Amino acid sequence: MSNASSRPLCMIPGPVEMSDTVLQSNSTPATAHTDPVFVEAFGQVIEMLRTVVGTKTAQPFVIAGSGTLGWDQSAANLVEAGENVLVLSNGYFGEGLADCMETYGAQVTRLRAEPGQRQQLAQVAQALRAKKYKLVTVTQVDTSTGVLGDVKGVAELVREHSPETLVVVDGVCATAAERLYFDAWGVDVVITASQKALGSPPGVSVVVASQKALGVLKARQTPVPAYYVNWNRWLPIMKSYEDRAVKYFATPCVQAIFALNTSLKEMLGDGGMESVFAAHERTAARVRSAVHKWGLETVAAAPELCSNAMTAVWLPASIQAADLLPKLKARGVVAAGGILAGQAHRYFRLGHMGISATRDNGYVDAMLKAAAEALEECGHLAPAAGRSTPPPTIGLELHVQLKSSQKLFSSANAKWDESPNTNVNLVDAGLPGALPQLNPECIKLAARAILAFNGKVQSKSAFDRKHYFYADQPLGYQITQQRHPIGRGGYIEIGQLDGLSYTKQIGIQQLQLEQDTAKSIHGVYPDYIMIDMNRAGVALLEIVSNPDMETAEEAVLFVRKLQLLLRHMHVSNCNMEEGSLRCDVNVSVYRNGENKLSGTRCELKNLNSFKVIRDAINAEISRQIKAIENNQAIEQETRGYDARKNQTFVTRSKEAAPDYRYMPEPDVPEICISDGWIDLLRKTLPETPAAALERIKAQYGIAQEDVETMLAEPGCVEFYEKSAAGRNAKQVAAWVTSEVFGQLAYRNQRLLDSPLTFIRFGQILDALVADKITSAQAKHLLIAYMDGEERTVEQLISSFGWTVISDEAELQAIAKQLLDEHPKEVAGYLKGQTKRLNFFVGKLMKATRGQAKPQVASQIFKKLLEKLR
């Protein structure tokens, strides 16, 4: 670990760790690209790349750039406007390659797989039989998911069903890690780059093209629509350097090629490519074994779908990638988060390619050790594992603001986030003589919550006064339900669908109605506290759990599922960031042989995010375990959490705890609820998230991950179902979870707050399906509507000049003019050069600014040309 000993290991899916000799080569002094030493090194790189991919005759192109530049090379050189391209997309990078092809005028068919899956070969065969494609692209390893594409199987199908079609492999995250036999499998193009398994610094775009592909380039009917990536310019350069001569088009990346030369020599000198492939396979198996020991699953849904270059890992529901990655880095390992739109927070990615896999340097061991420890710190593994102390006991107290238009005991507007002290009346201000009057809407909302938890709504409940004096409590007491709450019992179940290896019911002790306090604002004026009375008297539902939890992960899952359930019952917005869901946690650690409730309980107050809940619980557990191991007493106290120090601190001791002097509330009568009223309410309850999950999966045939993603976003299920009515449900789901959620994440916005409507969204998809617009144009429209655009889809298509010309007479007139202008091409077609047809289609597309359908244009030209025979 010489070059990595004083810095974090870079264990992302590229750039990768490099050997000291490669790094030294990258720091070669300034060298002319005409220097014989460089010319020799460049020529060797071209020759060695053939060995790496398994070809004797294909032509490598080694150009300054990245893997993405290889997309442009393939699209610009091999595809002409209007030609069909089949893209097998297994994730983010498959979609990007498709977008690139469309940019160059290709008519792209996207054959998508669900996250973690790849296309069935039968699907590919069906697509190949349906129409002729200029080329088929397959991503050998999609870096966003770690799913391994079936290059060999796809290439065999192409040879069987469409032998003239080119097979283009995106091997950026695969080349030199995954088995690839270019000539034997019948591959035409491999796209890769220097910074991944090739083992050198970023900066070199590598594409290897077969002689068949170069023949397609030579037979183009239209000029290559690019300058820098035009292979006609680069081919003489590559041939010259391979012949150890110099020819100039653009300055090569000298130092990066020196480094790549060194890396390739080390790779091929370590036993050749078979040895390299085997080493990556052994390393990947070790990584997957560790993932399963952690109780987690890879994003790739089956062993045969798992890459040997990287591994993407689903996280438990209570942990997000943004929480885990800093803890990994603190342990000396840099890993990557997810990048799938709408699911990026749900997984993380580990790279294990290049020298990390092929050499005994301890990099992968360090990565796995750091990941296990970071997951434990996040609460996934019981903190007590391996220790002599038993697991802790954890209970929660949650305060939920009810979704009521008025406050609990007054007619004042319950919107507390408007201008300060505007939504307050005499009762809220605690003025003498103002009497509280119970809001029946709050009773109904509380009862809905109780029934959703499978709890029991009490036939009789009553209010108490909880006395304490503070500036945010104008009455001098809070009206609550300490002794006779409105609800008792119920539970929330967590289990395997939440990322656990077991199922557990966490009981609810009681649910009680109470008033919220006013809001204290500090720091506006020195020595003064400002009070905003808008929140005073807003209805709260306090939910007290049983002490059934033993890890921070279980606690976070409980809160997450409670939040989801209350949102779907329309009881509360439950937005922790705005304070409509607040959490207090009771934590105790007991000694071996004692009752689990025998530990001294400490309360952690005002935890306002899932991350803070998890980190605070783990910090307090660690503090109490350390105290027990050192035979120190644990005092019963209230504590806060300092996120910067990752420590809890004392805010109030047991001795300082106030005597609340509870007494029955004399001004609010007892609440009496009949069984008949409860039965009627139960019949009106909305569908639970668990029921919605199963129904939507069965009704629409979409993946569970997509349903869970939509369920977690308030209002999304209704948006999806209205959008999917009469449309392809899977296509709608893909657009919602990728494009819509991607825009929401970018804008840090909720769907309910977005101006996008299901009507406009559906119109976009209709225009896409009707071939009125391309996928890229559809995304443009989506962004416009999420920016607040009010014009219709048709109006926008017209204003952008995207309107499709459907009048065949108009298109025929343009086509006839083009035939008259190009007699040489007409003669070539009539002699059997059928590819000349693509030339004319491209010309017509240009003449109409893309407003014609390529398929219609092709049919018109065929008819006109055949008449000329």
Side-chain angles (χ1 to χ4, degrees):
M1 297 176 65
S2 55
N3 75 69
S5 58
S6 60
R7 60 170 176 80
L9 284 170
C10 187
M11 303 301 286
I12 66 175
V16 301
E17 287 292 334
M18 293 162 275
S19 71
D20 290 342
T21 49
V22 169
L23 293 174
Q24 289 164 6
S25 296
N26 194 54
S27 60
T28 303
T31 306
H33 63 282
T34 57
D35 190 296
V37 175
F38 173 71
V39 173
E40 178 63 29
F42 200 168
Q44 290 175 0
V45 164
I46 294 171
E47 292 165 350
M48 288 187 287
L49 284 170
R50 288 196 182 96
T51 303
V52 169
V53 302
T55 180
K56 294 185 181 297
T57 60
Q59 177 61 56
F61 291 88
V62 183
I63 303 174
S66 67
T68 306
L69 188 70
W71 295 352
D72 282 87
Q73 292 185 57
S74 301
N77 289 282
L78 301 177
V79 180
E80 298 186 60
E83 292 183 324
N84 295 321
V85 171
L86 176 63
V87 174
L88 310 185
S89 175
N90 296 332
Y92 178 91
F93 290 93
E95 291 299 303
L97 178 52
D99 289 344
C100 181
M101 291 289 172
E102 288 182 335
T103 300
Y104 287 90
Q107 297 298 306
V108 175
T109 299
R110 303 180 192 225
L111 192 56
R112 294 185 175 97
E114 299 291 347
Q117 301 286 349
R118 70 185 180 202
Q119 297 76 12
Q120 298 292 322
L121 289 179
Q123 296 175 286
V124 180
Q126 183 179 5
L128 290 170
R129 288 192 294 265
K131 68 171 75 168
K132 291 296 181 183
Y133 293 97
K134 182 65 171 292
L135 57 86
V136 174
T137 76
V138 53
T139 306
Q140 189 166 18
V141 174
D142 197 296
T143 318
S144 67
T145 60
V147 169
L148 181 65
D150 187 355
V151 175
K152 182 181 179 182
V154 171
E156 288 175 349
L157 285 176
V158 171
R159 288 201 305 271
E160 177 185 352
H161 295 284
S162 185
E164 69 278 13
T165 298
L166 299 176
V167 177
V168 176
V169 177
D170 181 348
V172 174
C173 192
T175 303
E178 303 290 352
R179 294 181 184 274
L180 182 100
Y181 304 101
F182 192 101
D183 290 346
W185 289 359
V187 172
D188 294 296
V189 176
V190 169
I191 301 165
T192 188
S194 56
Q195 75 274 16
K196 295 185 186 280
L198 290 179
S200 64
V204 184
S205 172
V206 176
V207 176
V208 182
S210 68
Q211 293 304 313
K212 176 181 173 183
L214 295 179
V216 168
L217 170 67
K218 187 177 180 179
R220 286 182 66 96
Q221 304 299 308
T222 59
V224 174
Y227 184 78
Y228 181 70
V229 299
N230 188 333
W231 284 347
N232 291 315
R233 300 182 187 279
W234 282 109
L235 187 57
I237 311 301
M238 297 299 114
K239 289 185 177 296
S240 292
Y241 273 105
E242 190 170 5
D243 291 338
R244 306 313 191 258
V246 177
K247 199 174 185 70
Y248 182 78
F249 166 53
T251 304
C253 41
V254 175
Q255 278 69 31
I257 288 174
F258 273 133
L260 180 57
N261 180 288
T262 300
S263 180
L264 292 176
K265 284 180 177 176
E266 291 179 347
M267 182 191 307
L268 296 174
D270 286 341
M273 291 312 299
E274 290 304 311
S275 175
V276 171
F277 294 148
H280 280 87
E281 288 163 358
R282 289 193 300 270
T283 300
R286 190 149 54 94
V287 173
R288 290 194 292 271
S289 176
V291 170
H292 294 147
K293 287 180 181 177
W294 300 336
L296 301 179
E297 297 294 334
T298 59
V299 173
E304 66 273 15
L305 304 180
C306 290
S307 159
N308 295 307
M310 61 161 291
T311 301
V313 184
W314 289 119
L315 286 164
S318 61
I319 302 175
Q320 296 192 0
D323 304 324
L324 179 73
L325 297 182
K327 293 176 172 58
L328 269 166
K329 188 173 183 180
R331 290 167 169 81
V333 172
V334 177
I339 54 175
L340 284 177
Q343 301 192 60
H345 63 288
R346 296 188 56 218
Y347 69 102
F348 70 106
R349 296 174 296 146
L350 300 170
H352 38 82
M353 64 190 100
I355 64 169
S356 298
T358 60
R359 297 190 182 180
D360 186 16
N361 46 33
Y363 293 172
V364 171
D365 290 335
M367 175 186 76
L368 297 177
K369 182 175 183 292
E373 292 176 353
L375 285 164
E376 180 173 355
E377 185 180 347
C378 287
H380 175 63
L381 303 179
R387 299 191 180 105
S388 60
T389 50
T393 300
I394 302 169
L396 302 177
E397 297 176 11
L398 298 127
H399 294 85
V400 174
Q401 284 185 351
L402 296 180
K403 209 171 183 178
S404 168
S405 59
Q406 296 179 339
K407 296 184 179 181
L408 182 58
F409 293 113
S410 81
S411 60
N413 193 321
K415 292 183 178 179
W416 54 270
D417 55 351
E418 296 185 346
S419 298
N421 297 311
T422 55
N423 292 332
V424 56
N425 67 8
L426 302 180
V427 175
D428 309 321
L431 297 183
L435 296 176
Q437 184 172 354
L438 182 60
N439 180 356
E441 183 184 7
C442 298
I443 300 293
K444 184 177 180 179
L445 291 172
R448 288 173 73 161
I450 298 162
L451 294 174
F453 294 135
N454 294 301
K456 180 173 177 55
V457 179
Q458 302 299 292
S459 58
K460 292 184 178 181
S461 60
F463 289 92
D464 304 294
R465 289 185 180 181
K466 177 183 178 181
H467 292 87
Y468 66 94
F469 297 94
Y470 199 70
D472 62 7
Q473 186 57 272
L475 285 169
Y477 58 85
Q478 178 191 40
I479 303 178
T480 183
Q481 290 187 311
Q482 176 69 13
R483 291 177 286 194
H484 303 287
I486 190 170
R488 294 187 186 275
Y491 62 89
I492 285 179
E493 185 171 281
I494 58 177
Q496 294 181 347
L497 292 180
D498 307 305
L500 300 178
S501 59
Y502 55 88
T503 299
K504 185 174 188 177
Q505 285 189 356
I506 299 172
I508 294 174
Q509 182 176 321
Q510 68 181 53
L511 302 92
Q512 59 196 54
L513 285 165
E514 61 187 28
Q515 296 171 300
D516 207 345
T517 62
K519 185 177 181 180
S520 299
I521 304 170
H522 301 266
V524 179
Y525 297 104
D527 303 322
Y528 287 90
I529 299 174
M530 311 298 289
I531 302 295
D532 178 7
M533 297 293 293
N534 282 353
R535 200 174 69 180
V538 169
L540 290 180
L541 182 65
E542 180 176 357
I543 302 167
V544 182
S545 81
N546 290 334
D548 292 340
M549 291 155 278
E550 297 181 336
T551 68
E553 181 181 3
E554 290 181 353
V556 171
L557 284 174
F558 177 88
V559 180
R560 281 190 186 278
K561 299 198 80 167
L562 177 141
Q563 178 192 60
L564 182 64
L565 185 56
L566 293 183
R567 282 175 173 173
H568 278 263
M569 294 296 112
H570 307 298
V571 170
S572 172
N573 292 327
C574 284
N575 292 328
M576 298 189 79
E577 61 270 22
E578 70 178 20
S580 57
L581 171 60
R582 295 167 236 158
C583 183
D584 300 336
V585 181
N586 292 298
V587 178
S588 66
V589 175
Y590 57 101
R591 289 168 171 79
N592 280 316
E594 297 182 351
N595 184 279
K596 76 173 208 173
L597 300 179
S598 63
T600 302
R601 184 180 65 185
C602 293
E603 185 177 22
L604 306 175
K605 298 285 286 186
N606 300 320
L607 307 180
N608 58 8
S609 74
F610 295 118
K611 181 180 186 302
V612 169
I613 292 171
R614 182 181 59 252
D615 291 350
I617 291 173
N618 284 329
E620 179 59 17
I621 290 170
S622 297
R623 183 189 74 85
Q624 293 191 28
I625 287 175
K626 185 176 180 180
I628 290 174
E629 290 174 345
N630 293 330
N631 293 318
Q632 297 173 347
I634 299 173
E635 302 294 333
Q636 184 174 339
E637 54 200 7
T638 301
R639 302 179 69 87
Y641 173 67
D642 186 331
R644 289 172 298 180
K645 296 180 179 178
N646 193 30
Q647 294 177 348
T648 63
F649 57 89
V650 178
T651 59
R652 191 173 64 200
S653 66
K654 178 182 178 182
E655 289 73 19
D659 178 6
Y660 292 121
R661 296 178 294 116
Y662 286 100
M663 61 168 284
E665 169 55 62
D667 295 328
V668 181
E670 185 179 65
I671 303 171
C672 297
I673 300 176
S674 69
D675 292 341
W677 184 87
I678 296 171
D679 290 339
L680 287 174
L681 182 64
R682 183 179 282 109
K683 293 177 182 178
T684 65
L685 288 180
E687 187 178 38
T688 66
L693 174 66
E694 296 304 322
R695 177 184 62 80
I696 294 171
K697 281 168 52 183
Q699 182 175 340
Y700 298 102
I702 59 178
Q704 178 165 310
E705 290 80 7
D706 287 344
V707 183
E708 289 175 341
T709 300
M710 291 189 286
L711 284 169
E713 177 64 30
C716 187
V717 168
E718 181 180 4
F719 177 89
Y720 166 73
E721 295 203 85
K722 288 181 176 178
S723 301
R727 299 184 177 94
N728 184 315
K730 290 186 177 180
Q731 181 196 38
V732 176
W735 269 78
V736 169
T737 57
S738 58
E739 304 305 332
V740 175
F741 274 39
Q743 284 297 316
L744 291 175
Y746 172 75
R747 299 157 189 266
N748 193 25
Q749 188 180 48
R750 290 288 186 190
L751 180 60
L752 291 174
D753 299 327
S754 170
L756 178 69
T757 66
F758 75 89
I759 295 174
R760 290 286 187 248
F761 179 61
Q763 289 172 346
I764 294 173
L765 297 182
D766 290 342
L768 179 63
V769 170
D771 291 329
K772 293 181 178 180
I773 54 175
T774 66
S775 177
Q777 291 167 342
K779 294 173 186 178
H780 189 88
L781 292 178
L782 178 67
I783 292 171
Y785 283 122
M786 296 188 79
D787 285 340
E789 177 61 62
E790 295 182 353
R791 286 174 290 176
T792 67
V793 167
E794 295 296 333
Q795 288 171 334
L796 285 176
I797 291 174
S798 177
S799 70
F800 289 135
W802 294 341
T803 304
V804 175
I805 300 174
S806 56
D807 185 349
E808 286 203 19
E810 181 181 353
L811 293 176
Q812 277 192 359
I814 299 171
K816 287 178 180 179
Q817 181 180 346
L818 290 170
L819 293 177
D820 292 340
E821 292 174 355
H822 300 279
K824 181 179 178 181
E825 283 71 19
V826 171
Y829 179 88
L830 296 177
K831 290 178 181 178
Q833 298 173 8
T834 56
K835 289 189 176 180
R836 299 281 185 178
L837 183 66
N838 294 329
F839 168 82
F840 287 113
V841 173
K843 287 291 185 182
L844 188 142
M845 295 299 294
K846 183 177 180 180
T848 60
R849 294 183 301 169
Q851 293 176 264
K853 290 183 180 180
Q855 300 92 331
V856 175
S858 179
Q859 292 171 0
I860 289 173
F861 277 116
K862 282 181 180 179
K863 290 177 182 178
L864 293 175
L865 287 165
E866 290 302 319
K867 287 180 180 179
L868 297 175
R869 287 191 183 277

